[in-house]
Amino acid sequence: MTSPHLTLHAPDTAPDAGTSALTWAAETYLAHTHPRAPLRLERVTLSGVTYTCAPDPAALRLNRALAEDVVMVALAAREAAALTGTPAPTTGRDARMLLDCALTDPDERETLDAYLNVLQGRARARLRRAWSEVQVIAAGLREHGELDAAQIAHRVACAQGIRATLLN
């Protein structure tokens, strides 16, 4: 069994717990939607997200879809900060390094920045479509200070149920 992998986050310049809750809720939501091993959540707090294991560079090289998902989740907190106009977290999983680990062909490495921009756009689009889920997770995080994987799943299901009821 692997040991928990904490994405360490140094104190940011974020002014309040609400901002921190939104950024970590965004990362949490994208990780929740991709329950593969390196994205499986253990818990989220106002200081960061804890995963059950770290991404394996060899697995990222072998599975492009997994690598893209891991990179988009690593980008989520910064993209949420950009969407809300708040300061971005300064630490966490390094999306650039994760993508670089996944690329093996020298020609692909030449396009690393463009590829990263595409994944940023995809992460931002997913967050925009699911902003209500992100806000529900953030509200729970502000209220309780910590959520585990089951509590996150419950909040996402509730937000999606409310959306389905309102749209029908």
Side-chain angles (χ1 to χ4, degrees):
M1 177 168 202
T2 59
S3 62
H5 174 65
L6 175 63
T7 302
L8 296 175
H9 301 284
D12 294 323
T13 57
D16 58 27
T19 302
S20 294
L22 269 175
T23 56
W24 303 141
E27 182 175 337
T28 300
Y29 174 75
L30 284 189
H32 169 77
T33 62
H34 303 288
R36 301 182 199 195
L39 299 175
R40 212 166 283 135
L41 295 167
E42 187 171 299
R43 74 172 114 27
V44 61
T45 66
L46 289 170
S47 59
V49 180
T50 305
Y51 296 92
T52 57
C53 65
D56 179 18
L60 298 180
R61 282 189 292 276
L62 292 172
N63 189 331
R64 180 61 56 96
L66 174 64
E68 288 181 356
D69 290 345
V70 168
V71 171
M72 284 190 294
V73 169
L75 292 166
R78 287 183 178 89
E79 292 306 309
L83 286 170
T84 59
T86 57
T90 56
T91 59
R93 284 186 172 177
D94 184 355
R96 182 181 195 75
M97 185 268 311
L98 289 166
L99 185 58
D100 190 42
C101 286
L103 302 177
T104 57
D105 190 299
D107 292 332
E108 285 183 322
R109 284 214 161 97
E110 289 178 14
T111 64
L112 187 118
D113 290 329
Y115 197 178
L116 196 58
N117 285 337
V118 168
L119 295 177
Q120 283 175 323
R122 287 173 53 191
R124 188 178 290 200
R126 285 187 183 174
L127 290 174
R128 280 188 179 136
R129 283 191 303 267
W131 197 248
S132 59
E133 286 88 339
V134 171
Q135 289 179 316
V136 168
I137 294 170
L141 191 53
R142 282 190 304 271
E143 182 180 344
H144 300 288
E146 179 177 327
L147 299 172
D148 64 19
Q151 292 168 320
I152 293 163
H154 175 73
R155 280 172 172 68
V156 169
C158 288
Q160 289 172 342
I162 291 168
R163 178 185 296 147
T165 300
L166 293 176
L167 292 176
N168 287 331

